[in-house]
Amino acid sequence: MQTVVTAPVIERPGLAIRLETVVYFLIIAFALVFRLVNLGGVPMSEGETHQALAAYRAIVPDSSGIALTPTSPILFALQGLSFGLIGGSEFAARLLTAIGGALLVISPLLFRRELGSTRTFVFSLLLLLSPVELVASRFSAPVIWSMIFAILLLWSIWSLRRSRDTDDDSNVWIKSLAAVSAAGLILLSEPGGIVLTLILIGAALVAFVWDRQTRPFDFDAVDEKPKTSDSSRDVISGWSVPLIVAVTFVILVATGILLYPAGLNAIGELFTAFGVGLNQAPVGSLQSFPLVISLFYEPFWWALAIAGIIVLINRHALTLIDRFLIGWLVFAVLASLVYDGADAVHALWLTVPLIGLTTSAVLAMLAPVRSTDVFAPPVRARWIIAAAAIAVITVFTMSAQALARSMLNSTGDSLMTVTPNANSVILVIVSLMFMLIGFFLVASVWGNKTSLQGIGLGVLIFGVLTSFGSGWSAAVSDNENPREPFHFYATSQDVMLLRETLHELAERNSGGFNAMPLTVMAPQDGVIAWIVRDFSKAEYITDLRDAVGDPIALLPSFEEPPALGTSYVGQDFITRRTWTPTTIYTIDTPTWWMQRHARFSWMTLDTSVLWLRQDVYEGTRIEEPAAG
């Protein structure tokens, strides 16, 4: 009988701890880099401007436009703080949420004892490279803060459950954290925070009922004495201080440390927005939008998460946390189907449990294969198979993309009208056959388990790289492409040029101060309102006749030049590009999914025109009208 001796994983615990710490410092460093680089170079989206303008107008009293009520009190407070410290810019509006997204990446460390060091590391690594988490962090989505509150709430409840036999006084701070987290999730984060709360409650009920049904009968539970009324009063009194702390936290955050009492209105606005979302979808969204986004950008997480569930069930290794993650995923899918107010970034509801379950599949891929008398697969075997799998998947993907592009030459919506690229068809078939035949060849040498582990690792690595690439494109390099599902209503980069043009006019007419007269015909909480946010003399109008004779007017584009009473010179700027996938042919879907291309653009352009009166255009300084 062959005896296998394995070396201990950690020979020097002190060194291992330091190395693990360094690894997590690298993860947080990369998370900050990915979320902060060029953060201010991407124009604000329609979903960001209302929140940002609400905070900006509260902080800067002489800013243009009416006061707005935000739907996320925590984002209102954080953006107000950022605007007060570093000024009102795109970077300032997004900075603290981007940092919050980086912190969310390392939040699995709170559950390291339960998950184990390897699973925690994989969890954080996959969150680091998640396209949904990346986009939500970079576009100041309040779902980041609702998820942070949710994670803190889960950790504090788990800590209380783990330390329920200790003195109650020692748990006051944990109870306070639980109360604050629950209050922040429901009252301060966003309308979707209420939905996330219901998802977590449903997941907890599923986990505990499932766990009770599968756990051996606990005789000690039968012998427990029923709690007396005194103990019930002790429980109530034990939560009095945490509840006071939570109420204080809500008031301080909503009112900006009592400096802005009107901020409490945001809590009412949050619940109003939640009610509206029960039967009204956001502009530019699709039915079950979070589920669509999750399947579109993170299909590999779905495949690996399902594999992880199968592995856990087959091994009878489901823990309470695993059951909770499964319940979370099920209720998140239901919420995506039922709640119309969910936006693209709410796919994060699905991302977290998907990654949590994927880590189970990763552990199975990394588990050592027991040697037998027949064969002893080397440790490097799975990595050799993984490298081969990545190569084959890459060839398959490239040939599939070329085949999809050839479909764009079709004259209709039928495959009969397609003239496919012959080389691409051959490569697709060959790569598929190579996958199938290669698996059986490798399995005959190293066994089925090693082969499956290697293929799984190959799919994981390929999926991580391609998913992160698609997320980076959506957030940075391709941010104004409306064919990206994250933003079917995409703000054009031209708005940055529009702002530069307005600053040049201000330099010429008001000595560099944004105090020149400016007439604006646009919504007071949209992208144009954000562009002119610091022009103190900007006047919003709803009737074109109110702009007649004004020196500078920023108006929507009309089919005919507007009659403004005298000679004007105009420059148009594209402000938004819109697109909907329902306008494409079915056979164009693979090309759109893989490369964001479609046969017909069907793209709508929203344009604003900056009109200068002829004398202003020729360099005449704008004179202030005489008083009286």
Side-chain angles (χ1 to χ4, degrees):
M1 180 176 179
Q2 182 180 2
T3 303
V4 180
V5 179
T6 58
V9 177
I10 299 176
E11 295 184 356
R12 298 174 60 186
L15 179 61
I17 292 174
R18 289 196 295 271
L19 288 175
E20 185 178 12
T21 303
V22 169
V23 167
Y24 281 105
F25 271 117
L26 290 175
I27 288 178
I28 193 67
F30 278 114
L32 288 171
V33 169
F34 292 150
R35 283 147 186 79
L36 296 180
V37 66
N38 199 32
L39 191 62
V42 177
M44 298 283 278
S45 66
E46 290 284 354
E48 296 178 278
T49 53
H50 183 95
Q51 295 283 351
L53 285 168
Y56 185 85
R57 290 170 183 170
I59 295 297
V60 184
D62 59 346
S63 57
S64 60
I66 61 174
L68 299 172
T69 303
T71 57
S72 174
I74 185 68
L75 190 58
F76 175 77
L78 293 172
Q79 288 182 331
L81 175 63
S82 184
F83 290 153
L85 293 176
I86 60 178
S89 64
E90 286 82 1
F91 179 81
R94 294 164 170 160
L95 174 61
L96 295 180
T97 302
I99 295 174
L103 295 176
L104 182 61
V105 166
I106 59 172
S107 61
L109 279 172
L110 294 172
F111 302 91
R112 184 181 180 279
R113 182 187 300 182
E114 291 75 21
L115 296 175
S117 58
T118 302
R119 192 174 180 183
T120 302
F121 167 73
V122 174
F123 207 143
S124 293
L125 184 62
L126 296 183
L127 275 176
L128 169 67
L129 301 174
S130 165
V132 172
E133 208 275 350
L134 176 67
V135 173
S137 300
R138 290 184 60 92
F139 281 89
S140 64
V143 68
I144 291 292
W145 297 107
S146 64
M147 190 60 67
I148 289 175
F149 281 130
I151 297 298
L152 291 176
L153 176 62
L154 292 175
W155 179 81
S156 56
I157 292 176
W158 187 267
S159 298
L160 287 172
R161 179 179 180 273
R162 191 170 53 203
S163 59
R164 58 181 179 269
D165 295 330
T166 61
D167 184 16
D168 187 67
D169 293 338
S170 63
N171 293 328
V172 171
W173 74 272
I174 300 180
K175 291 181 178 179
S176 299
L177 178 60
V180 166
S181 301
L185 178 59
I186 299 172
L187 301 176
L188 297 178
S189 60
E190 50 143 353
I194 302 174
V195 181
L196 181 56
T197 303
L198 297 175
I199 291 172
L200 297 181
I201 292 174
L205 291 175
V206 168
F208 282 107
V209 171
W210 192 355
D211 189 63
R212 284 289 183 182
Q213 290 178 346
T214 56
R215 188 193 305 175
F217 187 77
D218 190 355
F219 291 96
D220 294 333
V222 179
D223 297 333
E224 289 181 357
K225 296 181 180 179
K227 294 183 177 181
T228 63
S229 58
D230 291 338
S231 63
S232 299
R233 285 194 293 269
D234 291 340
V235 170
I236 296 174
S237 63
W239 281 95
S240 58
V241 172
L243 290 176
I244 293 174
V245 172
V247 171
T248 304
F249 174 75
V250 169
I251 294 175
L252 292 178
V253 170
T255 61
I257 317 179
L258 304 180
L259 297 177
Y260 190 73
L264 286 173
N265 296 331
I267 299 177
E269 188 68 16
L270 184 151
F271 281 93
T272 300
F274 167 74
V276 171
L278 292 174
N279 54 19
Q280 181 176 329
V283 176
S285 67
L286 300 176
Q287 186 70 30
S288 307
F289 208 12
L291 182 60
V292 171
I293 290 293
S294 182
L295 292 171
F296 192 95
Y297 284 96
E298 298 179 339
F300 293 99
W301 298 166
W302 283 90
L304 293 172
I306 293 173
I309 294 173
I310 294 173
V311 168
L312 290 172
I313 293 176
N314 287 340
R315 294 182 176 180
H316 303 285
L318 282 170
T319 64
L320 184 62
I321 291 180
D322 296 319
R323 294 186 174 99
F324 178 79
L325 290 173
I326 293 173
W328 184 344
L329 181 60
V330 170
F331 280 97
V333 171
L334 292 176
S336 300
L337 297 174
V338 173
Y339 185 65
D340 293 334
D343 211 338
V345 291
H346 289 108
L348 194 60
W349 296 343
L350 299 157
T351 295
V352 172
L354 282 173
I355 291 179
L357 294 168
T358 296
T359 57
S360 300
V362 174
L363 289 183
M365 298 173 199
L366 299 177
V369 179
R370 182 177 300 177
S371 301
T372 66
D373 295 333
V374 180
F375 69 97
V379 176
R380 65 180 183 275
R382 73 189 71 177
W383 298 107
I384 295 174
I385 299 171
I390 293 172
V392 175
I393 296 173
T394 302
V395 172
F396 171 79
T397 303
M398 294 177 63
S399 56
Q401 289 179 353
L403 178 60
R405 283 195 301 269
S406 69
M407 293 183 179
L408 298 181
N409 299 322
S410 172
T411 58
D413 192 20
S414 173
L415 290 175
M416 301 301 295
T417 62
V418 176
T419 304
N421 184 295
N423 293 332
S424 300
V425 174
I426 293 173
L427 284 175
V428 168
I429 296 174
V430 169
S431 56
L432 288 174
M433 292 179 63
F434 194 84
M435 290 181 193
L436 183 62
I437 298 173
F439 170 78
F440 287 108
L441 287 175
V442 173
S444 64
V445 177
W446 286 324
N448 291 337
K449 185 175 181 178
T450 302
S451 301
L452 291 174
Q453 286 179 328
I455 292 174
L457 289 171
V459 171
L460 173 69
I461 296 171
F462 183 85
V464 165
L465 296 178
T466 56
S467 295
F468 178 75
S470 64
W472 183 260
S473 295
V476 183
S477 59
D478 220 12
N479 66 86
E480 60 177 344
N481 182 6
R483 294 193 188 96
E484 286 285 352
F486 266 115
H487 36 68
F488 288 134
Y489 281 58
T491 305
S492 171
Q493 200 72 28
D494 279 9
V495 299
M496 310 295 277
L497 178 60
L498 171 59
R499 182 163 174 81
E500 293 177 8
T501 304
L502 290 173
H503 278 295
E504 290 176 1
L505 289 172
E507 182 72 27
R508 190 174 67 184
N509 289 281
S510 54
F513 296 97
N514 298 334
M516 64 181 186
L518 177 63
T519 303
V520 181
M521 190 175 184
Q524 296 199 40
D525 62 347
V527 172
I528 294 299
W530 172 256
I531 292 299
V532 303
R533 61 191 177 277
D534 52 353
F535 285 81
S536 57
K537 294 186 178 180
E539 180 183 356
Y540 288 88
I541 63 172
T542 57
D543 192 331
L544 189 60
R545 290 172 294 183
D546 295 334
V548 173
D550 290 347
I552 303 175
L554 183 56
L555 307 174
S557 177
F558 298 100
E559 293 184 2
E560 297 292 335
L564 298 178
T566 184
S567 298
Y568 279 79
V569 177
Q571 173 65 51
D572 59 328
F573 298 87
I574 298 173
T575 56
R576 185 173 66 178
R577 294 180 172 90
T578 61
W579 184 80
T580 173
T582 58
T583 59
I584 65 173
Y585 291 148
T586 304
I587 60 175
D588 292 348
T589 302
T591 313
W592 168 57
W593 184 31
M594 292 186 285
Q595 298 178 311
R596 312 302 186 264
H597 290 309
R599 197 178 326 173
F600 304 108
S601 63
W602 296 106
M603 191 180 297
T604 304
L605 303 180
D606 293 342
T607 305
S608 294
V609 183
L610 181 63
W611 294 98
L612 303 183
R613 204 170 57 199
Q614 186 69 36
D615 60 329
V616 177
Y617 175 74
E618 292 174 353
T620 302
R621 189 183 181 92
I622 301 174
E623 298 293 338
E624 294 290 339

